[in-house]
Amino acid sequence: VLILLLGTPINGRTDTDHSPQENADLSTLQFKRIAVMPFLVGKLESPEQPVEKPLSQPLELLHIDAANLAEGADQIMTRLVNDALQIRFADQVVSMEDAAAGYAEATRDQTLDTPRKLAKKFGENLHADLVVIGTIWRFREKGTVEENPDSPASVAFSVYLMEVSSGKRLWHNAFDGTQKTLSEDVLGGLKQIKMGLHWLSANELARYGVKNVFRKFPLR
């Protein structure tokens, strides 16, 4: 059976939770340090269920579906995003070791803290100008749906760029992708044929998703 990848990258947009800035140009934004905060596990919003101010939602509202999240998915996503940024910005990216230490110092209250508050504390601990916040709510390997042994890999995540000093959300993009057979979506297959005609692992699908999401990253 010929196999293709059907992914749904959501077009990147630049805005803030306080005052939306349609199509703001961040290509000339100056910064010295950018850090990737360890991915949050759970769903704040999705392409089907947008939330007006996702970074202002209490951490306790993160919806976790353990059946669709492989163990360690948050660590895999953090590493993939960190690698993607290092390719572009090299030494301006805080190392994962330093980021982990800075995150450990940012005390968390599931009721009072929000992704924005947590990212601000995290960024200040690292003296970073910008923080990338990620949420992962689906990271499922092929064949792991109990009622469907032939279920394909599926990955869904969101990433946000936040300015530490102001707490403003500068940009957001998301990916929701599930592999399908060629017979299920011919047109989608023609667009994604370059991925190869084989079953992908969740890790490979996540790598593809990160690559697509960061094609729209506004910084140069």
Side-chain angles (χ1 to χ4, degrees):
V1 179
L2 293 178
I3 304 299
L4 62 91
L5 172 70
L6 178 61
T8 308
I10 310 303
N11 287 335
R13 61 181 185 271
T14 304
D15 56 12
T16 75
D17 282 352
H18 309 292
S19 55
Q21 302 171 17
E22 296 286 335
N23 303 315
D25 182 9
L26 299 179
S27 61
T28 59
L29 180 67
Q30 298 297 309
F31 67 97
K32 292 182 179 180
R33 285 165 66 84
I34 182 170
V36 180
M37 189 169 78
F39 261 62
L40 299 172
V41 175
K43 181 193 291 186
L44 282 171
E45 64 173 340
S46 71
E48 297 78 21
Q49 297 175 310
V51 175
E52 184 179 354
K53 298 180 179 181
L55 298 187
S56 297
Q57 302 296 311
L59 294 174
E60 65 180 358
L61 293 185
L62 278 163
H63 174 68
I64 301 175
D65 180 4
N68 280 306
L69 271 172
E71 186 177 355
D74 53 334
Q75 298 171 35
I76 292 172
M77 292 305 306
T78 303
R79 186 185 71 251
L80 290 175
V81 169
N82 194 81
D83 289 349
L85 288 178
Q86 281 195 328
I87 290 173
R88 294 195 188 192
F89 305 113
D91 293 341
Q92 289 177 280
V93 182
V94 176
S95 71
M96 289 190 65
E97 293 76 15
D98 288 346
Y103 190 65
E105 293 175 7
T107 55
R108 289 175 288 286
D109 184 304
Q110 295 294 112
T111 302
L112 299 177
D113 274 342
T114 65
R116 171 176 285 104
K117 289 181 181 178
L118 181 57
K120 190 170 178 61
K121 288 187 285 186
F122 167 75
E124 289 171 347
N125 287 344
L126 296 169
H127 305 289
D129 305 298
L130 303 171
V131 167
V132 173
I133 306 163
T135 60
I136 174 73
W137 64 89
R138 192 186 322 118
F139 194 98
R140 190 179 68 217
E141 292 290 356
K142 179 182 182 297
T144 54
V145 177
E146 190 171 328
E147 62 273 17
N148 181 12
D150 294 324
S151 59
S154 185
V155 172
F157 63 89
S158 284
V159 287
Y160 307 83
L161 178 67
M162 192 194 84
E163 183 180 57
V164 175
S165 61
S166 65
K168 289 182 179 179
R169 188 178 99 187
L170 303 177
W171 174 83
H172 166 236
N173 207 344
F175 177 83
D176 191 335
T178 301
Q179 195 171 17
K180 294 185 181 295
T181 62
L182 190 61
S183 60
E184 287 179 294
D185 194 290
V186 176
L187 293 179
L190 294 176
K191 293 179 181 178
Q192 308 298 347
I193 201 77
K194 60 185 178 181
M195 283 300 296
L197 302 179
H198 65 283
W199 287 116
L200 300 179
S201 67
N203 202 325
E204 290 173 318
L205 185 53
R207 192 181 305 275
Y208 170 82
V210 169
K211 182 178 179 180
N212 271 267
V213 161
F214 278 89
R215 283 176 179 166
K216 297 287 186 177
F217 198 60
L219 304 181
R220 296 292 182 264

